[in-house]
Amino acid sequence: MEIVKRDQELPWTPHPFLPLQIKTLLSQKEDRSDITIFQVSLPAGKEIPEHVHETQEDIIFILAGKGTMWVDGVGEFPLEKGTFVRVPKNTRHRIYSVTEDILNYDVFTPPLF
C-alpha cells in the first residue's frame, strides 16, 4: 500500500473490454481502499457504450478533451475540461461523440476492485 504515488510512475493499462486506457490510482485490492480511483484516457472517435454500475456511484471529473455524455433522467450534455458528473448507482449512462481525446479522473464507491 503506497501512500504517495506519482502520475508519471504509474502505467497505463488497457481496459478489459472498452476502447480506453486506465491508470489505477487507488484500489481495494492494492491499497485496501473503500473506493477505486482511475485516470481514464478515451481517444477521439471512440465511445463508452450505454451501461450501468449496479452497486457503485461513478464520479467523473474531466481534465481534458471534449465529447458528449448521456445520463438517464438527465439527458445529454457536453463534456469538456472542468465538467464534474456524479452518476448514481444503477443509473444508465454513456459517453460518445468524442471530438478531442478525453482524460478524466474517475472515482467508484464502493470500490470496483
Side-chain angles (χ1 to χ4, degrees), residues 68-106:
T68 302
M69 186 167 188
W70 172 84
V71 177
D72 191 24
V74 176
E76 72 174 30
F77 51 89
L79 286 180
E80 58 191 8
K81 182 179 178 178
T83 303
F84 175 86
V85 182
R86 178 182 160 258
V87 180
K89 67 181 175 179
N90 211 26
T91 302
R92 301 198 71 71
H93 57 288
R94 68 184 282 234
I95 296 175
Y96 54 99
S97 298
V98 178
T99 58
E100 293 179 15
D101 294 353
I102 290 178
L103 178 64
N104 67 279
Y105 183 77
D106 208 344

Side-chain angles (χ1 to χ4, degrees), residues 2 4 6 15 17-18 27 31 38 42 50 56-57 64 72-73 78 81 87-89 98 101-102 109 111-112:
E2 296 178 51
V4 176
R6 305 223 182 272
H15 188 279
F17 54 87
L18 294 173
S27 72
D31 304 291
F38 299 115
L42 179 62
E50 185 177 319
Q56 288 91 11
E57 284 195 283
D72 191 24
K81 182 179 178 178
V87 180
K89 67 181 175 179
V98 178
D101 294 353
I102 290 178
T109 182
L112 284 174

